Amino acid sequence: MSNVVVLDNGGGLIKAGQGGERDPAVVIPNCLYRPLTSKKFLHPTTTTEEDLTSAAIRRPIDRGYLINPDLQRDIWSHLFNSLLHVSPSSSSLLLTEPLFSLPSIQRSTDELIFEDFGFNSLFVADSPSLVHLYESSRRPDSLLSEAQCSLVVDCGFSFTHVAPVFQNYTLNYGVKRIDLGGKALTNYLKELVSYRSINVMDETFLMDDVKEKLCFVSLDVETDLQIARKQGKDNLFRCTYVLPDGVTHKKGYVEDPEAAQRHLRASPSAAMEPNKEAYQLETIAKTEERKRVDLTKNEFDLMNERFLVPEMIFQPADLGMNEAGLAECIVRAVNACHPYLRPVLYQSIILTGGSTLFPRFAERLQKDLRPLVPHEYQVKITTQNDPILDVWRGGSLLASSPNFESTCVTKAEYEEHGSARCRRRFFH
């Protein structure tokens, strides 16, 4: 059996490594960046220590699909030659591809793999089926494994897919998509902070870090909005993020990590108890706070932005987007399937993708979903140990199966039949 390279080519991160391994050998951003100190675009490494303040970014993938094959070739060439040190001519490639990829994009991808890099053979898989494979192997006694049926909610960098999977095949007619992912959330956070504090529209890497460290999902938005209006210590959500200065530290950080976690420990009822003294002093406190604001400081405060940004996934209509929320999207996906599958799908919901890492994400989804589901059905949501890497782990598991090579398309078959005919082998 030849060497198998497993490549989870996400819009935000590339996860790559050898088939059969537990974890990917390389996890890097799928982009090129140009710091202010450089005149050319650079390849990201696993240990990037440069000052990325106002770094320009070029990405080969937009809205989940490949739009710049030349840029992707450049990134993959660096990945295979400098980081993985593999020889494509003696290797097979297992590549993840988003659902409903256009034939022209598939043709460009095949040209990259077979003509530019010269891989020996190719297998194309979609993320939901790999997640299902990994979860069923990890929990062999679960309903998901016994029924061979699950509903994968993939909240990634570019989009959110809700995909029913049956016997390791994604049921395309039941897949629903929301055009919201981690990139849209970061852009929304940049707009909020730029409007309220300082201009951070060019600070993509920085605001990604702010989002990952400070944002969370609210279980009761109206109550949390009232708490966020309080002054001083009564405001459980206020926290300060310090920007890099380029001298003592090149990366931003949370000024008080303990204070940033206060909202997770306090009960909403206690936080909402009326405080007459605080109410009487509220006007004075607001005036003093305006006087204390120092615009020269290299930091900014976050309050209700912390939970309003992830709220986009659950209520995109609040931002004027003509999209269904995640809970409604799940119900539509399940209703598109056979009635016999519906109770099993509701009990086998799997959350994957980096955007599901927000604290309380699963609890909020359970709360929103329960009123929409018939009372005779149970709702069970499973969170993965590492939702960013588990797609790759499913691919690694598939690549180590004994009949994997027989399912691949070889370079000779591609040269004889062309891309369109070879792709039929992966059509589910």
Side-chain angles (χ1 to χ4, degrees):
M1 182 176 179
S2 66
N3 180 37
V4 181
V5 177
V6 179
L7 180 61
D8 181 11
N9 196 55
L13 293 173
I14 291 181
K15 287 77 69 178
Q18 304 291 337
E21 297 292 326
R22 173 74 172 81
D23 290 319
V26 177
V27 180
I28 57 170
N30 192 4
C31 65
L32 296 183
Y33 68 95
R34 188 186 65 211
L36 293 175
T37 56
S38 174
K39 292 185 178 180
K40 64 178 183 178
F41 281 87
L42 306 175
H43 289 280
T45 60
T46 51
T47 56
T48 300
E49 294 296 334
E50 290 189 61
D51 183 5
L52 298 177
T53 305
S54 300
I57 301 173
R58 293 175 62 202
R59 297 187 189 275
I61 292 178
D62 185 42
R63 292 175 177 81
Y65 299 111
L66 182 66
I67 60 166
N68 192 335
D70 294 333
L71 181 57
Q72 190 68 82
R73 182 195 301 115
D74 193 6
I75 295 171
W76 281 359
S77 179
H78 173 72
L79 173 70
F80 296 140
N81 297 329
S82 303
L83 300 177
L84 285 180
H85 305 289
V86 296
S87 172
S89 59
S90 59
S91 304
S92 299
L93 180 67
L94 189 153
L95 177 70
T96 63
E97 198 173 63
L99 295 162
F100 310 125
S101 187
L102 296 173
S104 58
I105 298 176
Q106 294 176 349
R107 190 162 54 249
S108 298
T109 305
D110 291 347
E111 287 175 5
L112 276 179
I113 292 165
F114 287 120
E115 296 179 19
D116 293 338
F117 290 103
F119 272 96
N120 193 25
S121 59
L122 168 69
F123 185 88
V124 177
D126 56 73
S127 299
S129 60
L130 295 181
V131 169
H132 173 86
L133 175 66
Y134 179 71
E135 283 297 313
S136 58
S137 67
R138 195 168 68 89
R139 298 182 292 131
D141 298 328
S142 64
L143 174 68
L144 177 151
S145 181
E146 292 175 357
Q148 280 298 298
C149 182
S150 66
L151 187 73
V152 177
V153 179
D154 184 2
C155 295
F157 178 79
S158 306
F159 52 72
T160 296
H161 271 151
V162 180
V165 181
F166 183 61
Q167 293 183 350
N168 272 12
Y169 288 100
T170 303
L171 306 179
N172 285 348
Y173 57 82
V175 175
K176 303 298 175 187
R177 169 177 167 136
I178 307 174
D179 286 320
L180 280 173
K183 183 179 180 181
L185 301 187
T186 302
N187 289 341
Y188 183 43
L189 181 60
K190 285 196 287 188
E191 288 182 11
L192 290 177
V193 174
S194 297
Y195 178 74
R196 298 178 182 182
S197 301
I198 58 175
N199 183 15
V200 290
M201 293 305 291
D202 295 331
E203 309 294 343
T204 302
F205 287 114
L206 190 73
M207 297 313 291
D208 266 336
D209 187 57
V210 174
K211 179 188 71 176
E212 291 164 9
K213 289 179 178 176
L214 295 178
C215 287
F216 65 93
V217 174
S218 170
L219 298 180
D220 187 345
V221 179
E222 290 185 7
T223 301
D224 287 347
L225 281 172
Q226 293 180 42
I227 297 172
R229 294 178 65 183
K230 291 179 177 290
Q231 301 298 319
K233 293 183 179 179
D234 289 335
N235 188 341
L236 301 178
F237 304 136
R238 181 192 295 273
C239 61
T240 302
Y241 188 86
V242 181
L243 299 169
D245 58 9
V247 181
T248 56
H249 52 275
K250 294 185 178 181
K251 293 187 177 181
Y253 62 92
V254 180
E255 188 175 62
D256 187 354
E258 283 294 318
Q261 301 299 319
R262 282 186 304 168
H263 66 280
L264 296 175
R265 297 189 294 269
S267 64
S269 58
M272 283 305 297
E273 284 179 4
N275 188 335
K276 291 183 180 179
E277 187 181 346
Y279 180 75
Q280 291 169 355
L281 296 174
E282 185 172 355
T283 309
I284 302 171
K286 282 184 178 178
T287 309
E288 289 179 353
E289 189 176 357
R290 288 195 191 100
K291 292 178 181 177
R292 287 198 304 269
V293 171
D294 184 1
L295 296 177
T296 63
K297 274 195 172 181
N298 208 26
E299 61 187 34
F300 59 84
D301 287 342
L302 287 178
M303 287 179 284
N304 60 12
E305 299 95 336
R306 297 180 63 189
F307 58 86
L308 288 180
V309 169
E311 186 68 18
M312 286 178 69
I313 296 175
F314 299 94
Q315 300 290 342
D318 289 353
L319 293 170
M321 295 186 66
N322 189 21
E323 302 263 352
L326 184 57
E328 186 181 347
C329 207
I330 289 173
V331 172
R332 291 183 182 183
V334 173
N335 288 342
C337 299
H338 194 281
Y340 289 171
L341 294 179
R342 292 173 191 172
V344 185
L345 289 172
Y346 280 126
Q347 289 187 64
S348 308
I349 299 174
I350 306 171
L351 300 181
T352 190
S355 297
T356 64
L357 285 170
F358 290 117
R360 297 176 174 171
F361 189 98
E363 292 91 327
R364 171 63 186 276
L365 183 57
Q366 178 90 23
K367 180 185 175 185
D368 286 2
L369 194 56
R370 186 62 267 184
L372 303 177
V373 176
H375 64 87
E376 63 268 20
Y377 295 160
Q378 295 182 22
V379 176
K380 184 178 180 183
I381 299 174
T382 302
T383 55
Q384 294 191 294
N385 293 336
D386 193 338
I388 294 177
L389 299 183
D390 283 354
V391 173
W392 186 92
R393 288 170 179 157
S396 178
L397 197 65
L398 179 61
S400 59
S401 61
N403 60 341
F404 171 74
E405 282 206 340
S406 62
T407 59
C408 294
V409 167
T410 64
K411 187 178 180 182
E413 289 173 330
Y414 168 78
E415 290 171 346
E416 182 180 353
H417 302 297
S419 174
R421 188 167 174 186
C422 289
R423 282 282 178 157
R424 293 178 190 172
R425 187 172 299 186
F426 311 125
F427 183 74
H428 303 325

